Amino acid sequence: FDEGLAWYERALEIDPDFAWGHMLIGDHHWEVLGRLDEAVAWYAKGVALDPGSPFPLAFLGWLFLELGDPDQAEYWIHQSIELGPEAFYPNLSMQILALYRGDEATALEHGRKAFAIWPLELPVLTFLRDQEVRAGRYAEARALYEELFPELLSEHDPEIDFRNYLAAIDLALILSRTGERERADWLLERGLAQIQRRPRLGGM
């Protein structure tokens, strides 16, 4: 991690106005060091350097939500949605904010929009799965994974690797509710084996 941070800092030596360099150092402070206060300063610099991009705004809003300040989060996330109403991260951030506020209808609206943009991003897929499971619509929840990860539901034992182990774990919950217990246990066991082989999962 120290070496990774050194490369980010080297990038800013080359181009001090590189907004994403500031954002990535902010990520390091947030996800590696747990220093959310430092992360805010780096994210804010990224926003100042690239005010026309919706993505730094979305991430800054998400960070304020992590800090327990939903009003600041809402301010930045609404700005990101205004700049990028059809972009993935503004919609993902709005989904997370709406869930925090207890507004499931708005969360579902933005979650579906984010899913349509980037269906393989698992936080969105997991959210939609949870909505279907809570409503007892297990077949609909299963269909989300059947389309995106057909290998997990094939008749043969699928390969579980870094690309699909989280989906395998999520799908196991659904299959346990649809009477496919043997396949659910198999997916869960293989998914957990992948986790044990990974030295660090970072934000995942």
Side-chain angles (χ1 to χ4, degrees):
F1 298 113
D2 291 342
E3 185 179 359
L5 179 60
W7 281 108
Y8 291 153
E9 291 170 341
R10 176 66 182 131
L12 291 184
E13 289 175 12
I14 296 168
D15 182 1
D17 295 330
F18 177 43
W20 278 103
H22 293 272
M23 298 294 292
L24 289 168
I25 293 176
D27 284 346
H28 182 90
H29 284 285
W30 182 356
E31 296 189 16
V32 176
L33 302 178
R35 289 295 307 272
L36 276 65
D37 55 336
E38 293 285 343
V40 167
W42 286 100
Y43 276 38
K45 181 69 172 178
V47 168
L49 288 169
D50 193 6
S53 171
F55 304 114
L57 294 164
F59 291 134
L60 183 58
W62 195 346
L63 179 55
F64 272 112
L65 199 58
E66 288 285 318
L67 283 164
D69 190 342
D71 294 333
Q72 277 290 326
E74 187 165 9
Y75 172 80
W76 295 108
I77 291 171
H78 274 293
Q79 285 196 47
S80 76
I81 282 286
E82 288 177 11
L83 284 172
E86 303 302 322
F88 176 79
Y89 284 110
N91 280 285
L92 174 61
S93 297
M94 186 61 79
Q95 172 204 314
I96 293 167
L97 175 64
L99 281 176
Y100 185 94
R101 297 283 200 195
D103 183 353
E104 290 212 4
T106 300
L108 191 57
E109 174 193 346
H110 288 280
R112 285 177 173 159
K113 186 176 282 190
F115 183 75
I117 298 165
W118 191 2
L120 289 175
E121 182 66 6
L122 283 171
V124 179
L125 178 58
T126 300
F127 165 68
L128 294 177
R129 177 207 65 174
D130 290 347
Q131 294 295 106
E132 301 291 8
V133 167
R134 271 198 293 271
R137 296 189 294 264
Y138 302 119
E140 288 83 350
R142 188 184 192 278
L144 292 170
Y145 292 82
E146 191 168 24
E147 182 175 346
L148 296 172
F149 299 96
E151 74 279 5
L152 298 180
L153 292 161
S154 68
E155 293 181 4
H156 307 290
D157 288 342
E159 180 181 355
I160 307 297
D161 56 26
F162 71 95
R163 295 166 298 181
N164 63 6
Y165 75 98
L166 288 172
I169 293 169
D170 283 353
L171 180 58
L173 171 66
I174 300 166
L175 298 184
S176 70
R177 305 287 177 88
T178 57
E180 301 169 82
R181 189 75 212 188
E182 186 175 342
R183 173 52 63 100
D185 289 344
W186 192 93
L187 289 174
L188 192 58
E189 179 183 328
R190 298 304 189 281
L192 292 175
Q194 279 292 319
I195 289 176
Q196 291 165 355
R197 285 197 289 271
R198 295 171 70 83
R200 188 180 191 280
L201 298 177
M204 300 303 287

